Amino acid sequence: MVVAIEPEEKAEHPIELVLARLLRLGSLVAAALLAVGIALMVLGHTGLAPKLITAGLLVLLGTPVLRVVAAAVIFVKERDWHFALFSFVVLCAVAAGIYFGKGM
């Protein structure tokens, strides 16, 4: 007799789903800001349009960084110190890239 054992369901979402939703949300917000900014630019409202386009680009650039931060928080909550350390190293590399990439 074969008995199928179903895995225990967690109250939390798996990390992949949380991170995928975060990336999807960031992309949608960035696309909306960019679309509205470009539409306003085409319609001749040049006052607000560049600010919306800049905000859209910043959200687009910030989304992957936020993903690494979220992953680090999840790994620390799960006490997965190995991957938490990797996330911290990636954040340090991103911070160093931003700091040294300013071109002073």
Side-chain angles (χ1 to χ4, degrees):
M1 178 161 118
V2 177
V3 177
I5 300 173
E6 295 185 26
E8 297 178 20
E9 288 191 33
K10 290 184 178 180
E12 309 167 11
H13 294 292
I15 186 172
E16 294 87 9
L17 291 178
V18 172
L19 298 178
R21 287 180 183 159
L22 180 66
L23 288 174
R24 187 177 303 121
L25 178 65
S27 299
L28 291 174
V29 169
L33 288 169
L34 288 168
V36 172
I38 291 170
L40 288 175
M41 185 78 74
V42 169
L43 294 174
H45 301 287
T46 57
L48 183 60
K51 293 177 184 176
L52 288 174
I53 292 171
T54 301
L57 291 173
L58 287 174
V59 170
L60 190 62
L61 290 171
T63 300
V65 176
L66 188 58
R67 179 208 184 279
V68 175
V69 170
V73 169
I74 291 170
F75 289 138
V76 167
K77 279 185 174 181
E78 292 179 352
R79 298 183 183 271
D80 191 347
W81 305 118
H82 190 107
F83 285 110
L85 177 64
F86 285 155
S87 297
F88 179 70
V89 169
V90 170
L91 284 175
C92 288
V94 169
I98 291 170
Y99 179 75
F100 293 118
K102 288 183 179 180
M104 288 195 227

